[in-house]
Amino acid sequence: MTSPSSRRLLLAALTVLALASCGTTPSESVPAAGPGSGSPASPPPSGAELEARAAALQTRTEHVYVTRLDGFTLARQSVGVRGDDGFGSVYTGQGGRMLELDVERGELPGPACAGATAPAADDDGAVTCERDGDAWYTATAAGHSYARADGDLVVRVGGARTDLDRATLSDALAATHRADDAELADVLPPVGEASGQQPVERGDLPPVGDGAPLNGAGTTG
């Protein structure tokens, strides 16, 4: 399961990338070549290949969901497993805004909101939640989320209150759906490029001892 510290590092990295892209227009996908162009479109991946891509992420194709939200683009480096075989990704917008999508096996919070957390909230404040149609809205002082059940899966979208208002989250949840083959081909990285397959090399870790970062003078820049 993705730890809170790992998630914070991922979101921090995505924030830097989103801020760096401010004022630029995301590149559009190159359309498939039409008849007579002399360059045939690439054949779509087979079902077996899509399953292999999902397996490389330690998830399953039926657990891969996508959403659409005006002004937000999928951060492909954020795609990865959640829990045992769930799926998660982050969509970024102008100004470093982020929308997090998580799909995991589980149950909705329920009336008591037992164990409910907002994906973008790292504070220790009280958690409140309320039913909204077929979904549950959960909030803390820092973050909030919408979640709904889809079979034995819980599909959740969330973000910081300063990034997304409640209505936007509701719209994002309504647009969230299980990825079709074309979307799977677009979202799932090729086998061998799946995030998390290779350990990240840390240059500030000593070769012996307990692996604590080097905190000596000058090591922090």
Side-chain angles (χ1 to χ4, degrees):
M1 181 175 292
T2 306
S3 67
S5 60
S6 297
R7 180 168 294 180
R8 286 194 295 270
L9 288 172
L10 171 62
L11 294 180
L14 290 171
T15 299
V16 172
L17 290 173
L19 288 173
S21 66
C22 288
T24 62
T25 302
S27 59
E28 297 293 333
S29 299
V30 177
S37 65
S39 178
S42 299
S46 65
E49 179 181 337
L50 294 175
E51 292 286 353
R53 290 190 188 186
L57 283 178
Q58 303 177 47
T59 187
R60 307 167 64 176
T61 54
E62 59 265 35
H63 293 178
V64 178
Y65 281 63
V66 294
T67 191
R68 288 184 294 271
L69 190 62
D70 288 344
F72 283 76
T73 304
L74 174 67
R76 298 186 184 280
Q77 69 272 28
S78 71
V79 171
V81 66
R82 297 291 188 270
D84 294 329
D85 60 355
F87 176 80
S89 60
V90 174
Y91 292 75
T92 60
Q94 291 291 325
R97 296 186 300 155
M98 289 182 287
L99 169 74
E100 185 172 0
L101 167 62
D102 288 300
V103 181
E104 292 188 65
R105 299 180 190 272
E107 298 179 355
L108 289 172
C113 292
T117 58
D122 295 321
D123 60 354
D124 296 323
V127 175
T128 61
C129 67
E130 62 182 84
R131 193 173 184 86
D132 188 347
D134 294 332
W136 281 89
Y137 174 72
T138 306
T140 70
H144 54 168
S145 67
Y146 260 106
R148 72 165 189 261
D150 194 351
D152 64 343
L153 300 174
V154 173
V155 179
R156 178 180 287 108
V157 293
R161 285 177 175 270
T162 53
D163 287 352
L164 305 159
D165 59 28
R166 180 170 175 174
T168 300
L169 281 183
S170 180
D171 290 343
L173 182 68
T176 301
H177 59 279
R178 182 172 289 149
D180 60 26
D181 285 356
E183 291 165 330
L184 287 170
D186 185 52
V187 170
L188 293 173
V191 175
E193 296 181 15
S195 62
Q197 282 191 293
Q198 298 296 327
V200 177
E201 294 187 5
R202 289 280 304 276
D204 61 341
L205 297 180
V208 295
D210 62 2
L214 299 177
N215 294 319
T219 60
T220 60

